[in-house]
């Protein structure tokens, strides 16, 4: 059997070397032997080709998924670096004030919760926790509104829209290419 495989390998190697192929594409002498070995391996079990095909298709889907996710992450990271730097400088004071309000709200809530835990609920502490919580939330909403308006004026919102559109198209192409459960997403 070994002599037969060796003989077939040499004949296949000669026929490949005589076939029309670009000069820059050399055929290693082991290629025909590996091809024959793969054929024998796949033919030895009638179900092996189907399993191999299914495994290969699954691996191809996984590579597509990983590639698309990497591109999406890179695109958003790049957009974040370029678009948010200008926004951070513009709203630095507002962010600091909002942080201080959130810290004050957290302290007031902890004091209220501790009083309740001790069995000494206090209307004053309840009111202080409510007031600081609402003040921090109102300031945060106003800050978000100012950010949205500034984004509209500066064109950052349109740039983010382009990033979202581009990545939505990538994800759609991924779902269509991978088929199956991805289409149901």
């Amino acid at each position: 059997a070994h002599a037969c495989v060796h003989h077939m390998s040499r004949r296949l190697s000669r026929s490949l070397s005589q076939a029309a192929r670009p000069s820059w594409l050399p055929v290693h002498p082991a290629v025909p032997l590996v091809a024959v070995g793969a054929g024998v391996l796949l033919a030895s079990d009638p179900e092996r080709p189907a399993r191999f095909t299914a495994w290969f298709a699954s691996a191809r889907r996984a590579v597509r998924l990983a590639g698309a996710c990497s591109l999406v992450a890179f695109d958003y990271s790049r957009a974040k670096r370029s678009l948010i730097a200008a926004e951070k400088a513009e709203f630095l004071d507002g962010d600091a004030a909002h942080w201080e309000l959130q810290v004050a709200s957290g302290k007031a809530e902890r004091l209220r919760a501790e009083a309740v835990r001790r069995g000494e609920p206090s209307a004053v502490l309840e009111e202080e926790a409510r007031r600081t919580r609402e003040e921090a939330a109102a300031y945060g909403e106003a800050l978000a509104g100012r950010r949205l308006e500034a984004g509209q004026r500066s064109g950052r919102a349109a740039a983010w829209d382009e990033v979202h559109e581009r990545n939505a198209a990538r994800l759609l192409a991924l779902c269509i290419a991978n088929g199956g459960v991805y289409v149901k997403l």
Side-chain angles (χ1 to χ4, degrees), residues 24-64:
W24 54 266
L25 184 63
V27 174
H28 190 276
V31 170
L33 184 60
V34 170
V36 168
V40 169
L41 179 69
L42 290 174
S44 65
D45 179 6
E47 293 179 6
R48 188 170 284 146
R51 284 196 311 265
F52 178 78
T53 303
W55 176 85
F56 186 73
S58 174
R60 192 173 61 224
R61 285 191 301 273
V63 167
R64 274 193 213 118

Side-chain angles (χ1 to χ4, degrees), residues 21-175:
R21 71 175 193 284
S23 61
W24 54 266
L25 184 63
V27 174
H28 190 276
V31 170
L33 184 60
V34 170
V36 168
V40 169
L41 179 69
L42 290 174
S44 65
D45 179 6
E47 293 179 6
R48 188 170 284 146
R51 284 196 311 265
F52 178 78
T53 303
W55 176 85
F56 186 73
S58 174
R60 192 173 61 224
R61 285 191 301 273
V63 167
R64 274 193 213 118
L65 177 62
C69 290
S70 297
L71 286 173
V72 167
F74 177 74
D75 199 14
Y76 275 105
S77 175
R78 188 180 59 200
K80 180 181 175 186
R81 277 193 307 270
S82 66
L83 296 173
I84 293 195
E87 183 179 308
K88 276 188 176 183
E90 186 177 346
F91 291 99
L92 194 59
D93 293 339
D95 285 340
H98 187 230
W99 176 256
E100 289 174 15
L101 288 170
Q102 288 176 317
V103 168
S105 174
K107 285 180 183 177
E109 181 60 31
R110 276 192 301 281
L111 289 173
R112 184 205 63 79
E114 193 173 302
V116 169
R117 186 182 52 78
R118 287 190 317 257
E120 304 167 0
S122 167
V124 172
L125 291 176
E126 290 281 339
E127 176 57 27
E128 180 67 11
R130 184 199 58 75
R131 184 188 65 74
T132 57
R133 182 177 54 246
E134 289 176 0
E135 188 177 333
Y139 190 87
E141 287 176 15
L143 184 62
R146 288 196 307 272
R147 274 201 165 107
L148 287 174
E149 289 171 8
Q152 294 292 336
R153 284 192 311 272
S154 70
R156 285 190 300 263
W160 277 114
D161 287 346
E162 289 175 18
V163 172
H164 297 323
E165 284 290 327
R166 191 168 48 244
N167 288 301
R170 274 189 187 120
L171 293 176
L172 177 62
L174 168 71
C175 291

